[in-house]
Amino acid sequence: MMNGDHSSDCSRTLSPGIASLANLGNTCFLNSVLYTLRFTPGFCHNLHHLNTDLQTKLKLENGRQKPDQEQENIVDVIHTLHHLFQKLCSSDGYTSDPKDPVLPTALLQSIGRLCPLFEGNQQQDAHELLVTLFTHLQDVKVPGDLPKTDSSPPLQQDEKKSKKKPAQSVGGSTPNLIQSLESNSENGIEKPGFSHLKDAKPPPGNFVKHNFVGIGVMRTKCLECESSTYKKEEFTNIDIPIQYDSEDEDDGYNFFINRIMASETLRDVNKYWCSECSRLNEAQRTVSYEVLPTVLVLQLKRFTTTASRTYVSKLTDYIPTPLIMDCFCQKCRDGPGPPIHKYRLYSVILHLGGSLASGHYIAYVRAGDVNYDYFQCRRPGLTDSTLRNKHSKRGIFKMFSKSTPTNTEPHISVTNPACSSISCCGLKLNPGILEDRLGSTNGIDANTNGSRHSPGLASDQDDIWLECDDEQISVIYRPQLEELLTSRQSTTTPYLLFYNRIC
């Protein structure tokens, strides 16, 4: 394990009372993903009910209908992940010395049975782990689900053509949609094994499918006859190529979006087979986003295989990272006014090191409101009546802020007792710990580097972040996070960005 210089910063020595995860040897990739999922709004709450439903189903079936091995492995991953979050919950909110880190051994073994790539304690790609989990979890059939129907008018056999149709400004492309389709097609002819893509909007039954899956529409326009083909694809993340020009340094948000919406010209050996022209032609490929998920995951494509294919090298170019981002779905981009939706950064996974095999992962998570779902839960069952709106409506980190919510926070009226899952696998924190520990930083201005808030803790909770570096979890503030995101150190780079839709 290669640790960065962040732990030596005296401003990161305070523990917030959140349970930590042990590094089993090269498992920082796993821990960084687990910290992010735990702080993903609604994830723990929905996972609790999914696990409960699946376990209830197994008890009712009582062995009468044995699932296939893959389904059994997926259910085991869900159960083991929920059990790990239970352990973390029971270790949260300590009032004295930190409890021993929780060992994710059982979960790692369970994931290894589902996907042999993750067997053992070898260093792996955090993005690949995330994709593996989402790919399998989104296909879990929730007990009681109705058959899925497509309420939207289908494209004719997954494509439709518009001959000599003028180009429309309906977005662009991102490599993950283009590359995934190219890997499943040759010269515009689809290969077998691509039938799992769906045209319909994800149904609300499976929370992973509902919250993490979006729909992109790829348009390929022949530059000879100007006919176009359209193809839909589901996605769980968008890849952003690392192509930074120093002249664009001040573009910030525009640079970021331009890379997401970039187009591609198919030429030379990569020409497109046009069925109208019956030959290979140059073509322009763009992507628009019909649906963006509630949780948007962006991967900065920093790792590439060398020409000799002997190892994976790392691209360390600087990429500006916006904390607030306008939605770029088709509805928001084509509308007459400003975008309807906005996204806010809530987690960043940084990669430290020069290559994929020898680096280290650290997760930075926003310590904001993650528990509205607990107070809006309509599931039958016991509720935790000790947790009321007056104590918890600002989230577990309400003690950080005594100001009114910002206009980016959704206004939600909460009057019901909390779902009992909050005390099972949710986040628990002792407010007195943070107030005491942060109060000890009296006199340090939060607007300076290495900063801390004043004793009044009067700034907005959006300024509070946690640095999750395996066994060590420390409180940092937004200026420190921004300093990390804008750092030009060649070995410390943002890798995975997680945004949550806030309006």
Side-chain angles (χ1 to χ4, degrees):
M1 180 180 69
M2 185 193 74
N3 289 308
D5 297 331
H6 309 296
S7 298
S8 62
D9 187 345
C10 62
S11 65
R12 292 180 173 86
T13 58
L14 301 177
S15 173
I18 291 291
S20 63
L21 292 163
N23 190 312
L24 306 176
N26 299 316
T27 58
C28 56
F29 75 96
L30 173 65
N31 290 346
S32 64
V33 171
L34 291 176
Y35 283 126
T36 295
L37 293 179
R38 195 176 187 218
F39 279 84
T40 296
F43 187 87
C44 290
H45 174 245
N46 288 311
L47 179 73
H48 173 89
H49 289 301
L50 176 60
N51 178 70
T52 300
D53 291 343
L54 292 174
Q55 296 303 315
T56 301
K57 178 184 177 183
L58 290 176
K59 290 180 181 179
L60 292 176
E61 290 177 350
N62 196 23
R64 293 191 301 269
Q65 184 177 355
K66 184 175 179 60
D68 60 49
Q69 188 61 50
E70 182 176 354
Q71 287 297 317
E72 188 174 345
N73 289 338
I74 294 174
V75 172
D76 183 64
V77 168
I78 293 172
H79 179 68
T80 310
L81 179 59
H82 176 258
H83 185 59
L84 177 67
F85 285 159
Q86 280 184 302
K87 289 183 177 179
L88 291 171
C89 179
S90 64
S91 297
D92 280 343
Y94 50 81
T95 57
S96 55
D97 293 334
K99 294 185 178 180
D100 291 337
V102 176
L103 299 173
T105 309
L107 178 62
L108 182 62
Q109 294 172 348
S110 179
I111 295 174
R113 289 189 291 269
L114 178 65
C115 180
L117 174 67
F118 299 102
E119 289 181 342
N121 292 11
Q122 301 298 318
Q123 175 72 296
Q124 301 291 350
D125 185 356
H127 172 253
E128 195 159 3
L129 171 64
L130 191 72
V131 170
T132 297
L133 291 175
F134 285 168
T135 299
H136 287 91
L137 292 180
Q138 68 173 297
D139 291 332
V140 173
K141 184 173 178 58
V142 179
D145 270 358
L146 296 175
K148 300 172 184 176
T149 59
D150 187 355
S151 57
S152 61
L155 296 177
Q156 297 177 3
Q157 297 181 350
D158 236 7
E159 1 178 277
K160 62 181 180 182
K161 297 185 176 288
S162 56
K163 192 171 182 179
K164 293 186 179 180
K165 185 177 180 180
Q168 301 177 4
S169 58
V170 290
S173 72
T174 52
N176 86 305
L177 294 180
I178 292 173
Q179 292 171 358
S180 59
L181 285 170
E182 285 178 346
S183 65
N184 288 278
S185 62
E186 291 179 351
N187 298 327
I189 302 175
E190 188 173 320
K191 293 180 182 180
F194 207 52
S195 59
H196 67 282
L197 300 180
K198 307 292 191 302
D199 286 345
K201 182 178 180 179
N206 184 314
F207 83 93
V208 174
K209 197 171 187 68
H210 180 59
N211 292 335
F212 294 88
V213 178
I215 300 176
V217 181
M218 185 183 71
R219 178 192 182 197
T220 307
K221 177 186 175 183
C222 175
L223 296 182
E224 293 288 335
C225 68
E226 296 187 350
S227 65
S228 297
T229 61
Y230 298 82
K231 189 178 293 291
K232 289 187 178 183
E233 182 193 15
E234 289 185 346
F235 65 91
T236 55
N237 70 275
I238 297 176
D239 297 342
I240 302 177
I242 304 298
Q243 298 173 348
Y244 186 72
D245 187 345
S246 59
E247 295 180 358
D248 297 331
E249 185 171 353
D250 295 331
D251 286 354
Y253 169 76
N254 290 331
F255 165 83
F256 195 75
I257 293 298
N258 288 340
R259 289 301 179 271
I260 293 176
M261 309 300 292
S263 62
E264 179 187 23
T265 300
L266 307 180
R267 55 165 63 98
D268 299 330
V269 296
N270 196 32
K271 286 184 177 180
Y272 169 73
W273 175 262
C274 177
S275 59
E276 294 289 335
C277 301
S278 298
R279 64 175 182 270
L280 294 172
N281 289 332
E282 291 187 354
Q284 184 180 44
R285 182 164 286 172
T286 58
V287 173
S288 60
Y289 293 91
E290 182 177 301
V291 177
L292 284 180
T294 303
V295 178
L296 181 62
V297 182
L298 305 179
Q299 181 210 14
L300 304 180
K301 292 186 67 63
R302 296 198 174 276
F303 300 109
T304 180
T305 305
T306 60
S308 61
R309 296 184 179 273
T310 56
Y311 69 96
V312 178
S313 62
K314 180 180 178 181
L315 303 175
T316 59
D317 300 51
Y318 165 76
I319 295 292
T321 305
L323 298 183
I324 299 291
M325 182 170 60
D326 288 338
C327 179
F328 49 90
C329 71
Q330 191 168 340
K331 183 177 181 181
C332 287
R333 288 182 66 85
D334 294 347
I340 303 172
H341 309 120
K342 286 186 179 293
Y343 284 85
R344 176 168 54 192
L345 186 72
Y346 77 89
S347 178
V348 182
I349 293 180
L350 262 66
H351 182 269
L352 289 73
S355 69
L356 183 62
S358 62
H360 179 64
Y361 292 100
I362 299 177
Y364 292 84
V365 295
R366 177 180 176 271
D369 289 323
V370 295
N371 63 349
Y372 281 128
D373 285 357
Y374 291 114
F375 298 91
Q376 295 179 306
C377 182
R378 296 296 183 266
R379 294 290 298 266
L382 297 176
T383 59
D384 191 340
S385 60
T386 63
L387 298 172
R388 299 284 183 173
N389 174 44
K390 65 179 181 179
H391 296 301
S392 304
K393 68 178 180 179
R394 291 294 307 280
I396 60 169
F397 287 89
K398 66 182 180 65
M399 73 294 301
F400 279 123
S401 173
K402 296 183 180 179
S403 62
T404 56
T406 63
N407 55 10
T408 60
E409 286 191 51
H411 176 70
I412 300 178
S413 177
V414 183
T415 57
N416 294 331
C419 172
S420 60
S421 63
I422 192 172
S423 58
C424 172
C425 56
L427 284 158
K428 293 190 303 184
L429 190 67
N430 187 329
I433 297 175
L434 283 167
E435 289 180 339
D436 291 343
R437 294 182 180 177
L438 294 179
S440 65
T441 59
N442 185 6
I444 302 180
D445 186 358
N447 295 320
T448 60
N449 294 336
S451 59
R452 279 293 183 270
H453 280 290
S454 62
L457 301 176
S459 67
D460 187 78
Q461 60 186 332
D462 188 38
D463 282 337
I464 309 300
W465 288 72
L466 300 180
E467 180 186 75
C468 304
D469 185 1
D470 288 331
E471 294 89 349
Q472 182 175 343
I473 301 179
S474 307
V475 178
I476 69 170
Y477 285 86
R478 187 167 63 182
Q480 296 168 275
L481 177 71
E482 291 174 338
E483 183 182 3
L484 286 169
L485 297 180
T486 57
S487 171
R488 302 305 177 95
Q489 294 183 32
S490 61
T491 58
T492 302
T493 52
Y495 179 43
L496 295 173
L497 310 176
F498 299 82
Y499 290 85
N500 183 54
R501 191 166 61 210
I502 57 177
C503 63

